Amino acid sequence: MADRPRVVVVGAGIVGTMHAVWAQRCGWDVVHLERDDEPRSATVRNFGLVWVSGRATGEELDLAVRARDLWEAFASDAPGVGFRPDGSLTVVQRPDELAVLAEVAARPDAATRQVELLDADETRRINPAVRGDLLGALWCRADAVVEPGRALGALRDSMLGASNGGGPTYRYLGGRTVTAIDTGRVTDHTGAHHTGDLVVVCPGAEHHAGPLADLLGNAPVRRVMLQMMQTAPLAERLTTSVADGDSLRYYPAFDVPARAAMEPPAEVVERFALQLLVSQRAGGELTIGDTHHYDEPFDFACDETPYRELAARLERILGAPLPPVVRRWTGVYSQVADGAICWRDQPADGVWVITGPGGRGMTLSPAIAEQTWSAHLGVDTPDPVGVGAT
Ligand SMILES: Cc1cc2nc3c(=O)[nH]c(=O)nc-3n(C[C@H](O)[C@H](O)[C@H](O)COP(=O)(O)OP(=O)(O)OC[C@H]3O[C@@H](n4cnc5c(N)ncnc54)[C@H](O)[C@@H]3O)c2cc1C
């Protein structure tokens, strides 16, 4: 057997999984530890949006474009990821919102984002399900979607396949709560030790207690809770993901002069930091959100007010009643508060901790993990983009 270096990755959300993917591709054996049998945190609760359109010009946009290409490349080896290059429509219903879109579409980086301003008829041509009330939309062809409920398993299966095919080994150990982390050694709740040349810890929003939280020290990270819901399948295909005009208030890409002139947010928008985002699952169901709650402890119950508001907004855009809502849930992500892309630190020799990508972690994780391996660990990262399925 080849004498390969070994990494122990802790946390099997998308950030940990992408670090494992890159490790194996770089020729490292991987031991992957996860508290739950199957991960059930932020990654499986999200929209699955690979969202380039809203990213800030500069490093964040460059990383998002790279990440989108990496998602596509990894999905060619792991089709269960469900990557679909569907693009998105940010649909607006008021002239002040349209003015923001016009400025965004005229920016020098519009080509990088692949954005284009559409009038109402053009919008309906791109997405015929959008039959309701609208003035126009920003069409972003770079945006894409993956299946959050299946992506982690598909990536793990692909690593296992490579491992069984004679590549660097991949071993997933679910149902193991990590209780101690030292240089070269991780201990789980069964008392088992897992040794490696490197330890990579991706704890998600585990900020408050335990050995993973201890690694974060005084990192400038906060937790954010969101409310989400899902409908029964919609009879027709949404050919793009959809956002509404209130999303312009949050994403840095929309920070153009016209944004300052937007009408003040409605009371419900301000109270729940609400915007409409919609992605369609492979089976036709609509994943709909979201709200943002910053004050801890988070309420244990879901508030019905934003759900009613979001459903009414989507019905207005589609010009049709929604299928029944069949699932509601909350999710919590970790967000770095110092303007960085994520929190990436080496709290001990050979121990790295990476978290805090906020509401863009599903999008950016392939590129964040590539950066860890190439820029921070100095490892040669073979570029999978454009190579095709192996
Ligand atoms: C509702 C919602 C919607 C979102 N929508 C999008 C979107 O559409 N697009 C986008 O780009 N981003 C989105 N995000 C953000 C994105 O989901 C997160 O940034 C990303 O999933 C974070 O991944 P992670 O691996 O860091 O964390 P997690 O997915 O939380 O994974 C961390 C893992 O670590 C494990 N763990 C913790 N402690 C231990 C321990 N002691 N031992 C072993 N394992 C441990 C946990 O069990 C967990 O599985 C959304 C987030 C939420 C909550």
Side-chain angles (χ1 to χ4, degrees), residues 128-278:
V130 174
R131 299 191 179 86
D133 175 18
L134 63 133
L135 273 184
L138 191 74
W139 180 30
C140 175
R141 274 168 291 135
D143 285 340
V145 70
V146 296
E147 291 300 308
R150 301 206 318 244
L152 296 174
L155 290 167
R156 292 202 310 265
D157 285 348
S158 162
M159 286 187 273
L160 212 51
S163 174
N164 293 339
T169 59
Y170 175 73
R171 191 154 167 246
Y172 175 74
L173 294 172
R176 303 290 184 108
T177 299
V178 167
T179 53
I181 295 172
D182 300 296
T183 297
R185 193 171 90 155
V186 173
T187 308
D188 71 36
H189 76 283
T190 69
H193 302 302
H194 309 274
T195 55
D197 303 276
L198 182 72
V199 177
V200 172
V201 183
C202 302
E206 203 68 21
H207 293 175
H208 290 323
L212 275 56
D214 292 346
L215 290 180
L216 288 172
N218 292 322
V221 285
R222 67 171 175 179
R223 289 158 32 107
V224 182
M225 187 184 83
L226 286 67
Q227 286 190 202
M228 306 280 287
M229 63 180 161
Q230 188 169 300
T231 67
L234 182 73
E236 72 186 305
R237 209 61 230 161
L238 266 195
T239 55
T240 67
S241 300
V242 172
D244 81 346
D246 275 310
S247 70
L248 303 177
R249 301 182 190 279
Y250 307 109
Y251 293 104
F254 303 128
D255 190 9
V256 290
R259 182 159 85 169
M262 274 175 72
E263 283 181 24
E267 191 271 338
V268 67
V269 170
E270 204 150 35
R271 197 162 127 222
F272 295 99
L274 176 145
Q275 64 178 339
L276 175 68
L277 289 181
V278 187

Side-chain angles (χ1 to χ4, degrees), residues 5-177:
R6 179 156 63 167
V7 60
V8 182
V9 177
V10 179
I14 197 60
V15 175
T17 300
M18 285 296 180
H19 279 82
V21 166
W22 273 111
Q24 192 188 42
R25 283 173 177 259
C26 293
W28 289 54
D29 289 333
V30 181
V31 177
H32 199 180
L33 300 171
E34 163 59 40
R35 175 181 54 197
D36 295 314
D37 289 336
E38 276 297 319
R40 39 187 296 131
S41 298
T43 302
V44 300
R45 295 165 187 246
N46 69 36
F47 295 94
L49 291 170
V50 178
W51 202 245
V52 175
S53 51
R55 308 277 72 102
T57 302
E59 186 195 1
E60 193 187 44
L61 177 59
D62 295 345
L63 216 56
V65 170
R66 171 70 181 160
R68 185 239 180 256
D69 290 346
L70 288 169
W71 266 115
E72 189 165 17
F74 291 158
S76 74
D77 284 335
V81 161
F83 178 89
R84 297 191 301 281
D86 286 356
S88 73
L89 289 171
T90 298
V91 173
V92 297
Q93 293 159 319
R94 295 199 316 259
D96 59 317
E97 296 169 336
L98 192 62
V100 175
L101 297 190
E103 287 186 8
V104 171
R107 276 162 50 145
D109 61 10
T112 308
R113 295 175 194 282
Q114 299 184 50
V115 292
E116 203 176 308
L117 184 63
L118 306 181
D119 65 24
D121 288 340
E122 291 165 332
T123 304
R124 291 185 190 109
R125 261 200 299 280
I126 297 300
N127 190 339
V130 174
R131 299 191 179 86
D133 175 18
L134 63 133
L135 273 184
L138 191 74
W139 180 30
C140 175
R141 274 168 291 135
D143 285 340
V145 70
V146 296
E147 291 300 308
R150 301 206 318 244
L152 296 174
L155 290 167
R156 292 202 310 265
D157 285 348
S158 162
M159 286 187 273
L160 212 51
S163 174
N164 293 339
T169 59
Y170 175 73
R171 191 154 167 246
Y172 175 74
L173 294 172
R176 303 290 184 108
T177 299

Side-chain angles (χ1 to χ4, degrees), residues 304-329:
E304 196 52 28
T305 312
Y307 284 128
R308 277 199 296 270
E309 175 70 19
L310 291 167
R313 283 176 179 222
L314 185 53
E315 288 185 336
R316 195 172 147 213
I317 288 173
L318 297 180
L322 287 183
V325 172
V326 292
R327 303 174 80 197
R328 297 172 200 265
W329 67 94

